[in-house]
Amino acid sequence: TPTPAPITLTVSPSNVQGWAVQTGTCDVANTSTGTFVFGPATPPLGVGSFRMTTGTDGNSFFIYRNTAFDGVLTSQLTSLSYSTYVTTYIDSQAIAVNLRIDTDGDNIPDDTLWFEPAYQDATYFPSNPQATLITGSWQTWNALAGGWYTDNGAAGSGPGTNVKSLATILAALPAGTKIAPNGALGGLRLYSGCGPGSWDNFDGNVDALTVGVTSAAETTYDFDADPIPKPTPTQEPTQ
């Protein structure tokens, strides 16, 4: 059976395409926000993007989540990429992708797979380096080919110089590991915050998230502000 043609879904305030907000704090105050905006600069797709900020309390967080890939085996991922734009960071942070995963088949999350743009250059992932994170420019990340870690340290992985290839981590996890339903919010997550100091006053954007799964249509999410209505032309009176 041929793989269906790729599809692009526009995610906007008027149609969120299954995305849901989770926001809160890992400490006391919640200063995080998330909103659809036009720009910044020229986004990879459309005219806008999704913006996340964490404000003065970097220990607050903002997460945008989707249920579309709940139950998918992690071994079936064929593509995973997205683009970020950073306006302000303290400690080389950008919006991350993570996957809540079920390793024992009970549909309850047991661990979290993390991809963070800050750990993708030759300093951290020399076996397959990507660009060094910068501010003021859109950058595209091939997460599937990048460096990952899990909360529980699968395959000896960890943040910083301990990131491992996704293949290495999945080889250390049970064969049936899948993206966990994680309630009504979904196991695929775009993530910012929950790190005092490093995430203080973070301001960044995300766009063009592409997810491919074996034998399914590759899906790209174009995050966009709703178009500004064009004024109706006024007809001049006939003389």
Side-chain angles (χ1 to χ4, degrees):
T1 303
T3 301
I7 59 174
T8 298
L9 300 177
T10 300
V11 185
S12 69
S14 60
N15 188 349
V16 296
Q17 304 285 3
W19 289 86
V21 169
Q22 180 185 7
T23 182
T25 178
C26 298
D27 188 14
V28 181
N30 181 12
T31 59
S32 66
T33 67
T35 186
F36 292 91
V37 298
F38 291 101
T42 303
L45 292 175
V47 296
S49 60
F50 193 79
R51 179 188 182 195
M52 297 184 190
T53 70
T54 53
T56 55
D57 178 18
N59 221 11
S60 60
F61 62 85
F62 193 97
I63 306 172
Y64 213 24
R65 310 169 64 145
N66 200 303
T67 61
F69 302 95
D70 290 355
V72 169
L73 294 173
T74 50
S75 60
Q76 292 182 320
L77 290 171
T78 57
S79 61
L80 182 56
S81 64
Y82 69 116
S83 298
T84 63
Y85 185 103
V86 178
T87 299
T88 305
Y89 61 55
I90 300 297
D91 189 24
S92 297
Q93 299 294 340
I95 294 171
V97 165
N98 64 42
L99 303 172
R100 297 285 276 152
I101 54 174
D102 167 29
T103 60
D104 58 13
D106 62 0
N107 290 326
I108 297 173
D110 303 303
D111 205 347
T112 303
L113 280 162
W114 288 85
F115 174 90
E116 296 193 56
Y119 302 140
Q120 304 309 314
D121 67 15
T123 299
Y124 300 101
F125 196 54
S127 62
N128 192 24
Q130 298 184 52
T132 298
L133 188 65
I134 59 175
T135 60
S137 180
W138 282 100
Q139 295 177 278
T140 298
W141 311 100
N142 183 348
L144 196 70
W148 292 71
Y149 67 94
T150 80
D151 284 340
N152 294 338
S157 65
T161 56
N162 289 321
V163 294
K164 310 289 184 184
S165 71
L166 188 58
T168 297
I169 292 175
L170 295 185
L173 294 172
T177 295
K178 60 186 177 182
I179 300 173
N182 207 190
L185 293 175
L188 170 65
R189 314 195 303 178
L190 295 168
Y191 191 101
S192 64
C194 208
S198 60
W199 283 96
D200 294 0
N201 296 306
F202 171 79
D203 187 347
N205 300 64
V206 62
D207 195 22
L209 170 68
T210 296
V211 185
V213 178
T214 303
S215 300
E218 183 179 73
T219 303
T220 296
Y221 294 97
D222 170 18
F223 298 96
D224 239 336
D226 282 324
I228 299 174
K230 295 181 179 179
T232 302
T234 301
Q235 185 174 2
E236 294 293 331
T238 303
Q239 297 296 325

